[in-house]
């Protein structure tokens, strides 16, 4: 029968895994920021983050023609300028 005791080594390993996960999240966040600054076209995830809106709201903007978009290999890309104009109108 195995013991359920947690050792110091277990805690160290857990800490290292946790730090690694946090670093990945921070790196992804930096990548999202870089994409939103560098590109004229934003992926859905970046556009939602920039506009602080749900996927459904972004889809509604696309369907109603308020925002230009491109579909590439199943992913939607939204025009950054159009999104900014919408944000300024509100």
């Amino acid at each position: 029968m195995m013991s359920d005791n947690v050792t110091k080594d277990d805690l160290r390993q857990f800490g290292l895994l946790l730090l690694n996960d946090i670093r990945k999240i921070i790196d992804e966040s930096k990548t999202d920021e870089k994409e939103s600054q560098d590109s004229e076209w934003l992926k859905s995830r970046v556009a939602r983050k920039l506009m602080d809106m749900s996927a459904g709201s972004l889809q509604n903007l696309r369907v109603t023609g308020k925002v230009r978009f491109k579909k590439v290999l199943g992913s939607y890309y939204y025009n950054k300028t159009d999104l900014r104009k919408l944000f300024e109108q509100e």
Side-chain angles (χ1 to χ4, degrees):
M1 212 172 148
M2 289 189 86
S3 171
D4 287 340
N5 293 336
V6 177
T7 66
K8 287 183 181 181
D9 284 338
D10 292 336
L11 291 174
R12 280 190 201 102
Q13 285 181 336
F14 174 74
L16 292 173
L17 289 171
L18 188 60
L19 283 173
N20 192 35
D21 289 346
I22 291 170
R23 284 187 185 111
K24 283 181 187 176
I25 292 169
I26 290 171
D27 288 344
E28 287 174 5
S29 174
K30 287 179 183 175
T31 301
D32 287 351
E33 287 175 22
K34 189 174 187 307
E35 283 180 16
S36 68
Q37 291 171 357
D38 295 344
S39 179
E40 179 184 345
W41 295 92
L42 306 176
K43 285 184 174 182
S44 296
R45 178 184 50 157
V46 177
R48 286 195 321 264
K49 195 173 191 179
L50 178 70
M51 299 295 290
D52 189 29
M53 65 174 48
S54 69
S57 295
L58 191 57
Q59 178 184 9
N60 188 40
L61 292 175
R62 182 179 76 232
V63 170
T64 57
K66 293 181 180 177
V67 171
R68 287 178 286 169
F69 69 94
K70 295 180 182 181
K71 186 174 182 181
V72 180
L73 299 174
S75 296
Y76 286 99
Y77 292 82
Y78 296 88
N79 184 273
K80 185 184 205 178
T81 304
D82 291 355
L83 291 171
R84 287 209 168 137
K85 285 179 184 176
L86 279 174
F87 192 71
E88 290 168 3
Q89 289 174 358
E90 290 182 3

